[in-house]
Amino acid sequence: MSAPARLSILICLPLLLGSRCSVVGAGPEPRVLSEARARWDRAGIEDYTFDLRRVCFCGDIEPVRIVVRDGVAVSYTVLATGEPLAAESRQWYPTVDGLFDFVAEAIERDAHRIDARYDDERGYPIHLFVDYDERMADEEMG
């Protein structure tokens, strides 16, 4: 493969326009997820770098640059400081495949709201937000 791909993935609340997306509830989301994952698989990208920002009511929500080689994350850098992300926090910063799994799990758990947007060409997630229970506060993740 040629030089690693550079993806821009932002997992946060702002709306990003021009991408395929799902709507409130599970509705079309399983089909949309499947189509996006198929585009990603067809792209065959195993080496890439992307920036991910988590949104939740939890610790360690700084934007992080993740470097992936052969489908495995090999580097996590906190963008604000340039320092490596603490090893115990890395589980909260998945690869693109892990982001697809995050959506699939939300569908399985019958989340109240799933808002997912994917890159039209390569299928990778560019925005994810899940509200598991409309009656609970502070359990949302994005």
Side-chain angles (χ1 to χ4, degrees), residues 1 4-5 40-41 43-48 67-73 97:
M1 176 177 241
W40 176 250
D41 289 344
I45 301 171
E46 293 289 322
D47 297 337
Y48 56 94
V67 177
V68 177
R69 297 291 175 259
D70 294 324
V72 177
D97 288 326

Side-chain angles (χ1 to χ4, degrees), residues 41-63:
D41 289 344
R42 279 192 306 272
I45 301 171
E46 293 289 322
D47 297 337
Y48 56 94
T49 298
F50 71 105
D51 298 340
L52 186 135
R53 178 173 178 247
R54 297 181 63 228
V55 175
C56 63
F57 293 92
C58 52
D60 292 332
I61 57 172
E62 292 290 328

Side-chain angles (χ1 to χ4, degrees), residues 10 18 21 38 49 56 62 69-70 76 80-81 88 94 111 113 123 134:
L10 178 63
C21 65
T49 298
C56 63
E62 292 290 328
R69 297 291 175 259
D70 294 324
Y76 301 81
T81 65
E88 61 271 11
R113 177 179 173 188
E134 72 176 320

Side-chain angles (χ1 to χ4, degrees), residues 9-16 51-56 61 63 115 117 126-130 141-142:
I9 300 176
L10 178 63
I11 309 302
C12 65
L13 295 175
L15 295 177
L16 300 172
D51 298 340
L52 186 135
R53 178 173 178 247
R54 297 181 63 228
V55 175
C56 63
I61 57 172
D115 182 12
R117 295 182 181 89
I126 58 173
H127 168 89
L128 302 175
F129 180 80
V130 174
M141 296 189 85

